[in-house]
Amino acid sequence: MIKNVLITGADGQVGSELRELIENEKYQLLDVNFYFTTRKILDITHQKSVENFIQENKIDTIINCAAYTAVDEAEKQEAMANKVNKEAVEVLADIATKNNIFLLHLSTDYVFGGDHYAPFNEDEPTNPQGVYAYSKLAGEEAIQKSVPRHALIIRTSWIYSEFGHNFLHTMLKLGHSKNEISVVCDQIGTPTYARDLAATILTILQQHKQKLPEGVHVYHYSNEGSCSWYDFAQAIFEIAHLSCKVQPIYTDEYPTLAKRPHYSVLNKKKIKEAYGIEIPYWRDSLEKCIQRVDKENKRHKIGIIGSGFIATGLANQLMQNPEYEVAGILTRTDINARKDFLQNKLLTNSLDDLIATSDLIVECSGDAIYATETIDRILKANIPVVTMNSEFHVTTGSYFVDKGLITEAEGDQPGVLAILHEEAIDMGFKPVVYANIKGFLNENPSREDMEYWGARSNLSLEMVTSFTDGTKVQIEQTLVANGFGADIIKESLVKLENDDMLEGGTLLAQEAKAAGISGAVSDYLLSSKLPAGVFILAEHDQEQHDALKYYKLGDGPYYVLERTYHICHLEIIKTIKRVLHGGGVLLNNSQTPRFSVAAIAKRDLKVGESIIKAIGSFDVRGETVRIDEHLSHVPIGLLANATIKKEIKEGEIVTFDDVDLPKSLALSIWEQIISSR
């Protein structure tokens, strides 16, 4: 008799659909208690934890929806795939056998090799082709070997739903951002709407509520019909009214780490006869799912990376906006130890989970190396990225310009200058100087002073130090120069002391002309009297000068367009909206950057010393340099967990000959950027 049901993998596609159907009382199981668990709640690979949960809640039925489903990643993460798909199932099967528990387990069509072209029956020989497929078959075999008294194995195929990360969501995102894509046309299977499968599982529970099935039974379930991935993509675009064109290609034109079966259509006759169910045609179910997605998409799901000041403020703002939902907040800290974070329940340590639940992700960690790793995976999942992380852009951002939609956000100075730039160009102005305004500069501040100002400003020691020693503004203006194709008057920038934007901007423009620069330049003014913000010094056509004078912009030839505020986390939402509504990139580092931010020693650095993180340290500061004149310099964003191997004098540029750096994707990308010059 079914009374207490454990559902594992409750945050996955089938688990989420089960929860929704049950909570909305779509099925008459009102006297049954359901326990929805995720890996955060219950580690099903840990036998003692599962046994305790079973005993405490008197579980008599387990529906195992948990699975490692990253087919290609499994080729690199074999141990993890086996842990979830095999070892966890061994635990559940063993406990089910010992406690006379009904176990319903989900498996996959990939257990078949796809070497014939008729729908597979349940008893046909299996022939898995990759790590994922082998691990799923091993899970089935674990159940068969354990011989629980009551067990069902349901193989399914090509799962999609409005929840999680799947082919449907990938195609919808591509359909909104691309004019044409290519999809394989020689792999044949059947899409399965997770909601239909969840409904079938609940029908099975209803029918076995009083009498459980005897022995271990294998069934196949998918929607009716068959198609290729190309057909599936075409149908998605047709139903969603997207104009993106789909080009058919063969599997060997789209190589993947894992081999997929060419044919994996499942025969559903057995399950239909056993439970008297009718199965919808795949395209009919797809239409229903897309209707639900359209309804759900009225609220965009935004993921956040970082859990500091910017992330906290952004999360608070998004939660107050009816158009958005915070999908999760990725942090590297111990979630259980975080008592300072208002949205603690949204914190996660899993990038995979964040990717699976987000329509767009905001990266604001301030860490170039970490951001490189996360953004690489996010863009590969076809999810757009908005950053408030100029450190990332000037370090490795250029590599990602053509890898997907990634842009710096409005709110920090570079993003605000980008908005001013767009407005200036639209109004016919010609930018001459892109200028930041900085109130104070001490290139080698003391730790004591920085600790005082950090505590007073409620900022981290690293952050207040990078502001004070000029590293932050050098990074920002380097991004601006690269992003707009501007020049610099001199390395390390002029950093002109002047309390008037027009006068100071004009002096910078004159210095640029004297240096033989014909285009715009990027720099900043140093002034304790000017408000925090940015401005553009610009020219306009002679025939507009009288009108501009009438509009109180002065006599010319130079005019100041200013924004004397930047409200970082409150303005990010404007760029989120821009991207989601097809507005495109606001600012990036360009594919061919001319400038970088080098690490300059603040003191003599001795052999054997370590630099844990350069930005905001008391070891080095950042200065803008011309890349082609300093090919061996270490970008300050890369200088982390480094060991000094050659003595470096105060004021010298740190080079790759001077330090040992740990291997990282960011380092590899920088080497590619340099080698291409």
Side-chain angles (χ1 to χ4, degrees):
M1 189 171 183
I2 297 174
K3 281 289 187 182
N4 298 297
V5 180
L6 165 62
I7 298 178
T8 65
D11 53 352
Q13 295 186 75
V14 179
S16 296
E17 295 287 5
L18 281 168
R19 183 194 290 270
E20 182 159 296
L21 289 173
I22 291 165
E23 290 181 349
N24 291 333
E25 299 182 1
K26 299 289 185 182
Y27 284 78
Q28 297 302 311
L29 292 162
L30 301 182
D31 56 342
V32 175
N33 300 311
F34 290 91
Y35 297 85
F36 296 93
T37 64
T38 65
R39 58 184 168 187
K40 290 181 183 178
I41 298 171
L42 179 62
D43 181 1
I44 59 173
T45 66
H46 191 267
Q47 181 139 354
K48 191 63 178 176
S49 297
V50 179
E51 288 174 344
N52 290 340
F53 191 96
I54 296 288
Q55 292 170 5
E56 289 171 8
N57 298 288
K58 299 179 180 178
I59 299 298
D60 52 54
T61 301
I62 299 172
I63 301 174
N64 183 32
C65 301
Y68 183 99
T69 58
V71 178
D72 288 318
E73 281 297 311
E75 298 296 317
K76 298 183 289 185
Q77 302 285 340
E78 184 172 358
M80 179 58 70
N82 280 317
K83 186 175 184 180
V84 178
N85 295 341
K86 175 190 174 186
E87 295 169 20
V89 181
E90 289 174 340
V91 168
L92 296 178
D94 181 62
I95 292 173
T97 301
K98 291 177 180 177
N99 295 276
N100 199 27
I101 289 172
F102 174 28
L103 173 61
L104 192 155
H105 172 71
L106 299 183
S107 190
T108 176
D109 58 326
Y110 277 29
V111 299
F112 296 111
D115 47 5
H116 68 74
Y117 291 93
F120 284 95
N121 297 320
E122 287 82 353
D123 57 358
E124 292 198 52
T126 55
N127 184 23
Q129 297 295 300
V131 170
Y132 164 74
Y134 272 105
S135 69
K136 290 298 289 182
L137 180 59
E140 290 188 19
E141 291 171 342
I143 295 172
Q144 299 279 8
K145 183 179 179 181
S146 186
V147 196
R149 185 176 173 185
H150 316 289
L152 300 183
I153 298 169
I154 300 179
R155 295 177 183 142
T156 189
S157 63
W158 296 19
I159 288 283
Y160 69 91
S161 76
E162 54 264 41
F163 300 104
H165 182 62
N166 54 61
F167 186 79
L168 169 63
H169 283 293
T170 298
M171 290 301 105
L172 289 174
K173 288 170 184 173
L174 290 175
H176 282 103
S177 61
K178 303 283 187 181
N179 294 321
E180 182 177 304
I181 63 170
S182 299
V183 181
V184 294
C185 63
D186 57 347
Q187 294 176 25
I188 309 299
T190 306
T192 304
Y193 184 16
R195 193 176 187 85
D196 292 338
L197 175 55
T200 295
I201 290 170
L202 293 177
T203 296
I204 291 171
L205 288 191
Q206 283 180 319
Q207 295 190 25
H208 287 305
K209 190 175 177 184
Q210 300 299 327
K211 184 179 180 181
L212 298 175
E214 294 293 331
V216 179
H217 300 269
V218 179
Y219 292 103
H220 287 171
Y221 183 92
S222 68
N223 284 120
E224 293 285 20
S226 62
C227 65
S228 68
W229 290 108
Y230 164 78
D231 299 323
F232 193 9
Q234 284 273 55
I236 291 169
F237 292 157
E238 288 172 14
I239 294 168
H241 305 293
L242 296 173
S243 59
C244 182
K245 185 177 181 180
V246 187
Q247 292 287 359
I249 59 172
Y250 294 111
T251 297
D252 57 9
E253 297 177 76
Y254 186 73
T256 56
L257 289 175
K259 185 178 179 181
R260 270 82 167 166
H262 283 288
Y263 184 90
S264 61
V265 179
L266 302 174
N267 188 336
K268 281 84 66 177
K269 180 180 179 181
K270 181 179 176 182
I271 197 169
K272 288 192 288 187
E273 291 180 349
Y275 295 101
I277 59 173
E278 293 185 5
I279 300 178
Y281 181 62
W282 71 267
R283 193 176 170 111
D284 294 336
S285 289
L286 177 62
E287 189 165 353
K288 290 179 180 178
C289 183
I290 289 176
Q291 288 173 355
R292 290 176 61 84
V293 169
D294 288 342
K295 184 177 180 180
E296 180 69 19
N297 276 352
K298 291 179 180 178
R299 283 174 60 86
H300 297 287
K301 296 177 180 178
I302 310 300
I304 300 172
I305 298 178
S307 56
F309 175 78
I310 299 296
T312 303
L314 175 62
N316 286 338
Q317 187 192 20
L318 290 171
M319 291 171 72
Q320 301 301 316
N321 192 311
E323 294 183 26
Y324 303 102
E325 175 184 340
V326 179
I329 302 169
L330 183 67
T331 179
R332 289 172 284 179
T333 60
D334 181 356
I335 294 173
N336 296 322
R338 291 296 295 267
K339 307 300 181 186
D340 60 322
F341 204 72
L342 293 176
Q343 302 87 11
N344 206 69
K345 64 181 180 180
L346 295 172
L347 290 174
T348 178
N349 295 132
S350 171
L351 178 58
D352 288 335
D353 287 351
L354 194 71
I355 289 172
T357 55
S358 299
D359 299 318
L360 178 148
I361 293 177
V362 177
E363 209 295 329
C364 50
S365 69
D367 185 327
I369 296 173
Y370 176 62
T372 300
E373 300 279 352
T374 57
I375 288 171
D376 179 62
R377 290 175 58 188
I378 295 165
L379 293 181
K380 285 177 178 175
N382 297 304
I383 294 174
V385 179
V386 171
T387 64
M388 187 156 283
N389 192 340
S390 50
E391 295 86 348
F392 155 78
H393 282 282
V394 301
T395 307
T396 59
S398 294
Y399 169 82
F400 293 100
V401 167
D402 63 349
K403 302 295 187 294
L405 201 162
I406 178 167
T407 179
E408 182 73 349
E410 188 175 351
D412 218 352
Q413 286 93 330
V416 175
L417 272 171
I419 288 294
L420 271 182
H421 167 83
E422 288 187 349
E423 293 174 354
I425 298 301
D426 286 344
M427 291 187 289
F429 285 97
K430 178 185 176 184
V432 176
V433 178
Y434 297 100
N436 207 323
I437 300 170
K438 184 169 176 57
F440 180 75
L441 178 67
N442 179 355
E443 292 183 339
N444 201 359
S446 70
R447 180 180 291 272
E448 182 181 4
D449 283 350
M450 293 300 92
E451 288 174 345
Y452 169 78
W453 286 108
R456 179 168 172 172
S457 307
N458 196 29
L459 296 174
S460 70
L461 181 62
E462 290 176 356
M463 188 177 290
V464 75
T465 304
S466 69
F467 291 165
T468 302
D469 69 12
T471 297
K472 183 67 173 174
V473 72
Q474 295 277 339
I475 290 171
E476 290 169 345
Q477 293 312 109
T478 298
L479 172 56
V480 168
N482 287 331
F484 298 134
D487 209 333
I488 61 172
I489 298 168
K490 57 177 287 190
E491 293 189 328
S492 82
L493 306 182
V494 175
K495 37 187 181 272
L496 181 69
E497 293 187 37
N498 196 285
D499 296 328
D500 183 273
M501 283 182 263
L502 179 58
E503 181 182 293
T506 300
L507 289 172
L508 288 172
Q510 290 171 349
E511 285 200 41
K513 283 187 176 180
I517 298 171
S518 58
V521 295
S522 174
D523 215 297
Y524 70 94
L525 294 187
L526 190 57
S527 171
S528 60
K529 296 180 180 179
L530 287 173
V534 297
F535 69 93
I536 291 177
L537 187 79
E539 298 174 317
H540 213 300
D541 297 333
Q542 181 67 40
E543 57 265 28
Q544 296 290 348
H545 282 198
D546 288 344
L548 292 170
K549 183 176 181 179
Y550 173 77
Y551 292 135
K552 311 299 183 186
L553 265 72
D555 296 326
Y558 296 127
Y559 304 94
V560 172
L561 305 175
E562 64 183 75
R563 257 281 298 271
T564 53
Y565 67 89
H566 59 284
I567 317 171
C568 298
H569 68 268
L570 294 180
E571 295 190 73
I572 294 176
I573 199 166
K574 293 190 283 183
T575 310
I576 292 173
K577 181 174 288 188
R578 173 194 181 103
V579 170
L580 290 173
H581 289 81
V585 172
L586 175 65
L587 176 66
N588 60 37
N589 203 51
S590 84
Q591 283 188 278
T592 54
R594 296 170 59 199
F595 309 105
S596 176
V597 180
I600 310 296
K602 288 182 175 179
R603 59 180 180 82
D604 291 347
L605 300 174
K606 305 297 184 183
V607 174
E609 287 190 82
S610 296
I611 298 177
I612 304 304
K613 185 179 180 183
I615 296 175
S617 74
F618 297 93
D619 305 312
V620 296
R621 67 176 185 277
E623 287 189 358
T624 305
V625 296
R626 294 181 176 88
I627 295 175
D628 287 342
E629 295 178 18
H630 301 278
L631 292 175
S632 64
H633 83 279
V634 179
I636 193 167
L638 281 183
L639 195 58
N641 298 310
T643 303
I644 307 299
K645 63 180 182 181
K646 286 178 61 178
E647 186 172 327
I648 307 168
K649 295 294 185 182
E650 180 180 346
E652 289 183 344
I653 293 178
V654 179
T655 71
F656 283 99
D657 291 333
D658 299 327
V659 294
D660 281 325
L661 294 173
K663 291 182 179 180
S664 67
L665 178 61
L667 177 59
S668 175
I669 286 173
W670 179 256
E671 290 170 346
Q672 291 181 50
I673 292 172
I674 292 299
S675 67
S676 66
R677 303 189 79 83

